[in-house]
Amino acid sequence: MKNLVLLFMLCTAVLSAQENYTVSGIIKEAKNGETAFGASVFLKGTSIGSISNEYGFFSITAPKGTYTLVVSYMGFENMSQEITLDQNQKVNFEMEEASTQLDEVIVVAEETERANLKKPEMSVSKLNIRTVKQMPVVLGEVDVIKSLQMLPGVTKNGEGSGGFHVRGGAADQNLVLLDEAIIYNTSHMLGFFSVFNADAIKDIKLYKGGIPARFGGRTSSVLDIRQKDGNSKNFTFTGGLGLISSRLAVEGPMFKDKGSFLIAGRSSYINLFLKAADEKNRLGFYDLNLKTNYKLNANNKLYLSGYFGRDSFRFGESFRSSYGNASGNIRWNHIFNDRLFSNLSLIYSKYDYDLGITDDEFDWISSIKNYNAKYDLKYYASDKFKLDFGASAIYYDFDPGQVRPTSETSPINPLSLDRKKALESGLYINAEHKLTDKLTAQYGVRLSSFSRLGGQAMVDYANNQPVVYNNTLGIYERGTEIGETNYEKDETIKKFSNLEPRASLAYQLNENASVKAGYSRSAQYIHLLSNTTSITPLDVWTTSGKYIKPQISDQFALGYFRNFKDKIYSLEVEAYYKTTDNRIDYIDGSDLIGQNTIETEILHGEARAYGLEFLVRKNEGRFTGWLAYTISKAEQRTLGGIAGGPGINNGNWYNSAFDRTQDLSITGAYELNDKWSFGSNLVFQTGRPVTYPNGQYQYEGQSVASFSDRNSDRLPAYHRLDVSATYKPNRKPNKRWKGEWVFGIYNVYNHKNAASISFTQNEDFGNNEATRTAIFGMVPSVTYNFKF
Amino acid sequence: MKIYFKLTILFLTIVFTSCEDVIDVDVQTGPSRLVIEASLDWEKGTTGNNQTIKLSKSTPYYDTTTNTGVTNASVRVTNDNDNTEFVFTHQGNGEYTTTNFIPVIGQSYTLEVVHEGETYIANETLMPVVDIDGITQSIESGFDEEDLEVNVIFTDPEEQENYYLFKFHKQGDLLPVLEEGDDEFVNGNEITWWFEKEEDDETDKIEAFLPGDTVNIDFFGISESYSNYIGILIEQSWGAGLFSTTPVPLRGNCINTTNADNYAFGYFRLTQVVRTSYTFQ
């Protein structure tokens, strides 16, 4: 580690030895003052350039001289300015939106959505919120998570499932960040809608591999979602009325032009219909996004943002349940000098659920909270060398479950599962190093560590085996408790440390093509416990510790990137191979609900995934869109290990629940004229692995199914076609009110995609039968969106 | 406790589940195995001398043949304490009976089945059950507030962990309903266990209880390991829905000592049971 730092410093020193000067600044959109993330800034006629960061900041260092500084940001007019570099200087840009002539509508993909040939960054997909909004969606609810599954290597377990799967990974292996706050549950209503309100979001970046060293804690992907800053020029209102929910966002300048704010809310109104229909049941969700920023001076800016979302359900008077995420953070951007940019973030996030049972008079509550401090710095050493470094610490407080009787007469005894506390910290350094004109490298390392903190007792097991293989019966059983060890508050139960190297290389073959290669290692210390087919809001997270080991993943990727026909088309091909150690799987008959000793229900296994991804994009013209195709395999193997015995499925490799052999998605948008535009999605996926019966027998007067090996069958293939049409009524150019109608049909040919297939005995006839549950058939929708 | 989680999830699923239909799905066919249904249930207030053990063979999943009884086996149960042997003799169609079984609470017994040259052994302890304090009916409890349910009231003994099995069989129904519970969250309390039948929205048939309906109730005290077994069996008999636990191959306690891979399905259980019935007013 020390040597590495030394090496970096050496490089930096050598590279900055020439007589160089720096130009830096902030790029914004002129119309609303939003900072522009991913605008490219370069010196005309040279290969010296930079991409603006999340806060719109750029910095370019070049030898003394006179240059033309050009800024290009797709969808906006290029801007340029003559500069004379004889001293360090600041230049800010405000980008004007590209004017489109009435009969010549040109839609251009974001620069950063195209294949980026020079940067070694690979396995990254950036989606602009405008692209997401163009896609047809179920019930007219714009859905960030669903739009991700149109990308290669990303799948979702059909409609009725929260989360998403990246390159054969589980949903809990995705780090989902909303303005840097960790979001533990990404879905409303069990996965039918996502928690992200598109009106509050600026952009979305998904790292499927080659995760930058500044991120840690998850092995599969990072989904980095940034909220809008809020319009700093004018007050604007954005909103929409849909079939399920309606939205309203207000944004505008604040603090005498030194800042701006955004408040966005969304609420479902299913309850109104239920009430009207005299139904006793209730269900609904809402969320609220807040953001504000304040510019202290040219070098200091503060951001405050928050998210609060909740789902609630009530079944008559008997049951009620609610769950949701809440997060808040404060960030301080500080520009030390032209070359050193820093951001300090203090973040709080929480996920909790509760369940109230009226009959038996008790509540069940569970939560996970974390407090996170992060300090990230970027040093633009020279045009050839940039350095990211920083540190982070997360304090976790898990409350896996508490039972609280709500009355004296409740038959339920109070109970508290052990609270779990832990500290996860990370230190990282990463360099982006242009070795030659054609070869750029990115290399770095993250040192992560995790301490499971004391303040509780841990059960001890005979032979240190929480799970034991029963040789006689051929099953895994809970180990024998022989006592417990008490850990004081200031004691650490268990500590882990991991060095996570991350590196990638881009070699530009010619003007239009490049190859890239990458390797990354990542460690994951917290795990979502779920032995059900789909994850549910009631699943709980647990920590690594005395008995549960952290997951360690290694990923190798190789890619070929090419632009065609003046960048109108682009092609990205990537191959990956990924292994994960210590992937948890559950013993047969595991019981996770109200379980204080999770270690007695699990075995540690390993997982591997490999695949080939193709992405062809048309970036410009009336018709834009892409075709993504993935062929892949995801398997796992769970040996008995310390518990003895052969393990799950006799110790053989088996399909992981997220394995999809083939995955094809096509998405397209067509602008007919300035009034009408159309969108369409086509999805085809191999069915997901499931376990079917392989026989039956009579027991207790019923037919009992015997089941085959875990995940050795598959649901039928999933496919559907969606279409949408957007109509913008005639507008007077000066009128502030802008409205549009969006008509959509989800699953046009009404294909009954099996969310699950259930095998039961018919109650009336006694025969065995297979019942398919399909969630959405054809769903038409109408939404009205407005802005003023 | 678990049931509440399941019901909550079930409810959420129902809300969104627009369509369910029966379809043809091909499944694999595993090896045919011996099935041992050795349920020695001692009904409270009887001698418990008459006991039956059923032996059959498993069949492919959609097979409708019922004539699968195993007729050529020898079956006996031994009291592990005094080695008293109870021989079960074949009565036809795979039913083996004895008339001289002596049940002893807390006593362990060994089952031995010899079939086609292979010997299957199982070991289990006879578990007691408390009396039922009362049976009532109500409307407002249960999952649906408009349907009748029957409430079985009993008091859980505080000093040990208890595991229970209920078998509710509405007279006239083809299939019984099994439910399993334990005292993890209710140790030592008076427990009211409700049971109701859900309306099926898909059919017009009235499923819920109506006044005049009679339901047979069997209330068993079972062992922890049988509770684990029957719990999985019950859950899997509901079918594998979207939020169900991934189904697993179910292993009972009958071990093939000749050829371990050719294990038997079923279970050797010894229970005490209260059998009663209730007619709705």
Side-chain angles (χ1 to χ4, degrees):
Chain A
M1 184 72 194
K2 246 183 196 163
N3 291 343
L4 214 61
V5 176
L6 214 64
L7 186 74
F8 279 123
M9 289 169 71
L10 201 68
C11 288
T12 320
V14 170
L15 289 162
S16 46
Q18 314 157 12
E19 198 187 349
N20 282 338
Y21 296 102
T22 302
V23 55
S24 66
I26 304 276
I27 302 170
K28 288 180 179 177
E29 296 180 21
K31 191 183 69 180
N32 54 20
E34 288 283 334
T35 54
F37 172 28
S40 80
V41 191
F42 56 95
L43 301 176
K44 203 172 177 178
T46 73
S47 63
I48 301 171
S50 170
I51 304 270
S52 63
N53 75 5
E54 295 86 340
Y55 305 96
F57 180 81
F58 74 94
S59 168
I60 294 176
T61 300
K64 187 174 177 175
T66 304
Y67 299 95
T68 308
L69 183 63
V70 181
V71 185
S72 90
Y73 188 44
M74 276 301 160
F76 292 80
E77 300 280 3
N78 281 3
M79 291 186 81
S80 59
Q81 186 174 340
E82 294 289 315
I83 53 165
T84 306
L85 269 188
D86 51 5
Q87 56 177 5
N88 292 341
Q89 53 199 273
K90 274 202 170 62
V91 183
N92 294 334
F93 289 94
E94 296 216 337
M95 309 292 290
E96 293 288 350
E97 236 171 314
S99 59
T100 48
Q101 273 137 27
L102 280 180
D103 54 353
E104 189 202 5
V105 183
I106 296 177
V107 181
V108 185
E110 289 293 319
E111 175 76 351
T112 40
E113 283 185 350
R114 298 187 197 205
N116 188 324
L117 300 180
K118 286 181 183 160
K119 279 191 105 174
E121 188 172 80
M122 63 186 299
S123 310
V124 175
S125 302
K126 186 169 181 263
L127 278 179
N128 190 279
I129 200 70
R130 266 175 278 190
T131 313
V132 175
K133 282 182 171 177
Q134 278 168 4
M135 293 184 188
V137 282
V138 67
L139 290 163
E141 295 292 321
V142 174
D143 192 323
V144 169
I145 301 290
K146 273 202 195 99
S147 63
L148 294 176
Q149 74 165 358
M150 301 304 293
L151 297 167
V154 186
T155 60
K156 199 172 182 307
N157 266 0
E159 287 91 355
S161 165
F164 55 99
H165 305 287
V166 177
R167 290 185 170 173
D172 72 330
Q173 293 174 330
N174 303 318
L175 179 64
V176 181
L177 300 173
L178 179 65
D179 270 353
E180 298 193 271
I182 300 171
I183 300 295
Y184 290 95
N185 184 342
T186 56
S187 55
H188 280 309
M189 301 206 173
L190 302 173
F192 298 108
F193 309 109
S194 88
V195 298
F196 306 106
N197 178 351
D199 285 345
I201 285 165
K202 184 146 83 173
D203 53 40
I204 301 148
K205 207 167 178 182
L206 177 71
Y207 299 87
K208 299 184 286 186
I211 297 172
R214 69 194 149 99
F215 297 113
R218 297 292 187 281
T219 57
S220 190
S221 78
V222 176
L223 178 63
D224 188 12
I225 300 181
R226 302 273 166 173
Q227 298 194 127
K228 281 183 189 170
D229 297 336
N231 194 323
S232 59
K233 309 269 164 147
N234 298 301
F235 279 94
T236 53
F237 296 83
T238 320
L241 296 164
L243 296 177
I244 291 285
S245 75
S246 59
R247 298 165 270 124
L248 184 68
V250 187
E251 45 189 314
M254 235 174 137
F255 310 118
K256 293 178 188 165
D257 294 339
K258 287 199 158 179
S260 63
F261 76 95
L262 166 89
I263 300 174
R266 179 169 64 153
S267 171
S268 69
Y269 32 64
I270 312 157
N271 277 339
L272 297 178
F273 299 128
L274 290 173
K275 241 182 218 168
D278 208 23
E279 278 277 344
K280 283 185 189 160
N281 305 334
R282 295 283 178 272
L283 74 154
F285 66 86
Y286 64 89
D287 42 35
L288 192 64
N289 299 66
L290 301 166
K291 184 141 176 191
T292 172
N293 63 79
Y294 180 69
K295 191 173 166 187
L296 296 164
N297 55 40
N299 290 332
N300 291 286
K301 196 168 179 181
L302 289 177
Y303 291 87
L304 196 67
S305 63
Y307 168 80
F308 189 75
R310 203 142 189 97
D311 281 61
S312 60
F313 301 90
R314 206 176 78 209
F315 188 79
E317 296 297 319
S318 315
F319 306 98
R320 57 174 177 71
S321 176
S322 77
Y323 61 89
N325 297 290
S327 74
N329 72 28
I330 180 160
R331 282 177 289 172
W332 172 38
N333 278 186
H334 174 65
I335 300 169
F336 282 96
N337 58 47
D338 302 335
R339 296 191 201 176
L340 187 58
F341 180 91
S342 76
N343 178 59
L344 174 71
S345 303
L346 299 173
I347 312 154
Y348 167 78
S349 67
K350 177 183 174 182
Y351 175 75
D352 75 301
Y353 71 78
D354 63 70
L355 193 62
I357 312 293
T358 320
D359 279 345
D360 281 339
E361 298 159 336
F362 74 92
D363 286 340
W364 172 284
I365 56 166
S366 171
S367 68
I368 167 169
K369 283 182 222 162
N370 71 257
Y371 306 85
N372 185 357
K374 269 172 81 174
Y375 194 44
D376 299 301
L377 295 111
K378 183 155 189 152
Y379 181 55
Y380 297 80
S382 73
D383 68 301
K384 293 190 171 63
F385 196 81
K386 297 177 182 85
L387 205 56
D388 286 296
F389 54 101
S392 79
I394 307 176
Y395 176 78
Y396 293 102
D397 181 356
F398 296 79
D399 186 355
Q402 286 185 43
V403 179
R404 293 182 179 163
T406 49
S407 77
E408 287 290 308
T409 55
S410 170
I412 304 290
N413 301 329
L415 170 102
S416 281
L417 300 182
D418 294 338
R419 284 176 95 106
K420 296 173 178 154
K421 300 194 169 157
L423 186 68
E424 180 175 343
S425 56
L427 271 178
Y428 71 89
I429 185 157
N430 184 64
E432 194 181 315
H433 192 167
K434 197 162 148 192
L435 299 163
T436 72
D437 260 1
K438 293 196 160 173
L439 187 65
T440 309
Q442 196 169 295
Y443 47 90
V445 66
R446 181 178 181 88
L447 174 67
S448 64
S449 69
F450 186 84
S451 303
R452 175 80 165 77
L453 305 173
Q456 67 170 103
M458 295 285 289
V459 174
D460 294 317
Y461 299 92
N463 306 316
N464 217 14
Q465 291 171 297
V467 178
V468 187
Y469 185 68
N470 181 329
N471 264 311
T472 331
L473 297 181
I475 55 173
Y476 284 93
E477 297 176 330
R478 278 159 207 116
T480 314
E481 297 188 10
I482 52 168
E484 53 179 41
T485 309
N486 195 46
Y487 294 88
E488 296 301 323
K489 273 215 163 113
D490 51 358
E491 266 183 286
T492 296
I493 298 175
K494 180 90 183 173
K495 186 170 177 178
F496 303 94
S497 288
N498 281 292
L499 204 56
E500 306 170 26
R502 318 260 171 107
S504 52
L505 211 58
Y507 182 74
Q508 195 166 0
L509 298 168
N510 56 46
E511 198 47 23
N512 285 316
S514 68
V515 285
K516 299 182 190 182
Y519 162 75
S520 63
R521 161 171 281 217
S522 41
Q524 175 165 349
Y525 301 99
I526 68 170
H527 324 272
L528 182 66
L529 298 167
S530 173
N531 59 354
T532 52
T533 311
S534 287
I535 58 171
T536 80
L538 308 187
D539 292 332
V540 295
W541 289 77
T542 196
T543 67
S544 297
K546 194 170 179 179
Y547 300 109
I548 301 178
K549 297 175 199 158
Q551 303 176 49
I552 310 284
S553 172
D554 290 289
Q555 183 173 177
F556 302 87
L558 196 64
Y560 175 74
F561 302 80
R562 193 184 160 94
N563 287 322
F564 297 92
K565 290 201 171 175
D566 250 7
K567 293 187 177 178
I568 293 177
Y569 295 91
S570 59
L571 167 74
E572 299 176 29
V573 182
E574 283 194 39
Y576 65 88
Y577 181 80
K578 184 162 77 169
T579 59
T580 306
D581 287 343
N582 303 329
R583 179 72 194 151
I584 286 173
D585 207 349
Y586 305 89
I587 61 171
D588 288 353
S590 58
D591 180 9
L592 304 178
I593 291 167
Q595 182 58 258
N596 209 25
T597 50
I598 292 298
E599 61 271 15
T600 61
E601 310 297 316
I602 59 163
L603 291 174
H604 286 92
E606 57 184 318
R608 65 181 181 203
Y610 43 93
L612 194 57
E613 301 169 349
F614 299 88
L615 178 66
V616 183
R617 260 181 133 122
K618 182 165 184 289
N619 300 309
E620 296 179 26
R622 280 180 188 278
F623 177 80
T624 55
W626 69 81
L627 180 154
Y629 174 72
T630 310
I631 181 162
S632 64
K633 182 94 196 141
E635 302 174 289
Q636 60 195 102
R637 180 169 73 168
T638 313
L639 301 174
I642 190 171
I648 292 166
N649 277 3
N650 265 319
N652 297 318
W653 285 95
Y654 52 97
N655 290 328
S656 78
F658 332 107
D659 176 52
R660 295 287 191 291
T661 314
Q662 317 220 32
D663 174 16
L664 173 76
S665 24
I666 301 174
T667 185
Y670 184 74
E671 293 258 357
L672 180 67
N673 51 40
D674 61 336
K675 279 188 189 155
W676 284 98
S677 58
F678 302 92
S680 173
N681 290 335
L682 177 71
V683 181
F684 175 92
Q685 274 178 18
T686 307
R688 80 185 146 83
V690 287
T691 311
Y692 283 167
N694 64 0
Q696 63 162 337
Y697 54 92
Q698 295 297 313
Y699 187 77
E700 277 291 343
Q702 321 184 4
S703 162
V704 173
S706 63
F707 285 88
S708 33
D709 286 342
R710 196 171 292 188
N711 294 346
S712 65
D713 298 278
R714 267 180 203 283
L715 288 182
Y718 177 102
H719 52 95
R720 58 161 226 269
L721 173 72
D722 318 323
V723 293
S724 71
T726 307
Y727 174 68
K728 294 178 183 134
N730 261 336
R731 288 174 192 153
K732 293 194 178 101
N734 298 327
K735 209 172 164 191
R736 271 198 73 170
W737 182 278
K738 288 177 186 167
E740 65 177 22
W741 290 94
V742 183
F743 306 93
I745 306 175
Y746 184 85
N747 197 357
V748 172
Y749 54 83
N750 195 25
H751 183 248
K752 290 182 177 173
N753 284 303
S756 68
I757 290 181
S758 180
F759 292 85
T760 50
Q761 186 178 13
N762 185 295
E763 282 181 25
D764 300 318
F765 306 107
N767 59 303
N768 287 333
E769 58 192 20
T771 306
R772 165 174 66 186
T773 299
I775 293 184
F776 289 120
M778 188 190 74
V779 187
S781 66
V782 185
T783 311
Y784 181 73
N785 296 320
F786 58 86
K787 194 171 182 174
F788 63 92
Chain B
M1 181 57 59
K2 211 169 168 182
I3 194 95
Y4 291 118
F5 281 80
K6 303 247 179 266
L7 289 174
T8 307
I9 294 302
L10 182 72
F11 161 59
L12 301 184
T13 318
I14 290 167
V15 168
F16 295 102
T17 305
S18 52
C19 73
E20 279 197 343
D21 56 352
V22 172
I23 56 167
D24 290 328
V25 177
D26 289 336
V27 298
Q28 305 175 49
T29 298
S32 178
R33 296 183 185 278
L34 178 67
V35 182
I36 301 175
E37 186 174 1
S39 300
L40 306 190
D41 301 323
W42 178 18
E43 187 178 345
K44 274 199 163 178
T46 69
T47 58
N49 297 149
N50 294 327
Q51 296 293 345
T52 303
I53 289 173
K54 292 181 201 159
L55 299 184
S56 59
K57 295 284 273 188
S58 69
T59 58
Y61 185 68
Y62 295 117
D63 206 292
T64 48
T65 50
T66 47
N67 180 26
T68 58
V70 167
T71 56
N72 56 344
S74 71
V75 180
R76 58 181 179 160
V77 171
T78 313
N79 179 318
D80 291 345
N81 184 38
D82 57 13
N83 293 324
T84 321
E85 205 174 272
F86 309 102
V87 176
F88 285 67
T89 49
H90 186 235
Q91 304 299 317
N93 198 26
E95 296 201 352
Y96 295 76
T97 61
T98 182
T99 52
N100 58 4
F101 182 70
I102 303 163
V104 179
I105 296 287
Q107 178 58 51
S108 78
Y109 294 84
T110 301
L111 167 75
E112 187 194 78
V113 174
V114 181
H115 176 238
E116 290 176 349
E118 296 187 358
T119 304
Y120 300 82
I121 299 283
N123 195 276
E124 177 70 321
T125 302
L126 203 164
M127 304 305 289
V129 74
V130 294
D131 290 323
I132 292 177
D133 298 339
I135 301 179
T136 61
Q137 72 178 59
S138 59
I139 265 199
E140 67 281 359
S141 298
F143 191 55
D144 193 306
E145 283 162 45
E146 280 154 24
D147 292 340
L148 276 172
E149 62 267 341
V150 58
N151 300 299
V152 179
I153 302 158
F154 61 97
T155 307
D156 178 74
E158 194 167 358
E159 52 287 351
Q160 73 266 32
E161 287 179 14
N162 297 94
Y163 301 88
Y164 302 104
L165 174 68
F166 293 88
K167 186 174 176 178
F168 295 99
H169 199 165
K170 180 183 161 188
Q171 289 181 7
D173 273 4
L174 181 65
L175 301 175
V177 175
L178 298 175
E179 291 187 350
E180 163 262 343
D182 60 53
D183 61 357
E184 186 183 355
F185 297 98
V186 291
N187 187 32
N189 298 351
E190 183 183 88
I191 298 170
T192 302
W193 191 278
W194 55 264
F195 174 73
E196 73 182 7
K197 287 183 63 95
E198 312 300 335
E199 286 296 346
D200 187 348
D201 293 337
E202 310 270 308
T203 62
D204 295 332
K205 218 182 86 185
I206 294 169
E207 302 275 356
F209 286 121
L210 294 172
D213 284 346
T214 301
V215 58
N216 293 335
I217 302 166
D218 293 358
F219 174 48
F220 302 88
I222 58 173
S223 68
E224 181 180 1
S225 50
Y226 183 66
S227 155
N228 291 335
Y229 170 85
I230 199 75
I232 299 173
L233 187 148
I234 291 168
E235 197 177 328
Q236 294 187 169
S237 74
W238 297 348
L242 202 48
F243 298 100
S244 318
T245 312
T246 309
V248 296
L250 187 58
R251 296 284 290 264
N253 62 348
C254 302
I255 306 139
N256 185 333
T257 55
T258 317
N259 173 13
D261 286 342
N262 191 27
Y263 63 88
F265 290 133
Y267 211 95
F268 175 46
R269 83 173 182 212
L270 290 133
T271 70
Q272 200 177 25
V273 58
V274 177
R275 289 190 210 274
T276 182
S277 67
Y278 181 79
T279 303
F280 285 90
Q281 305 297 309

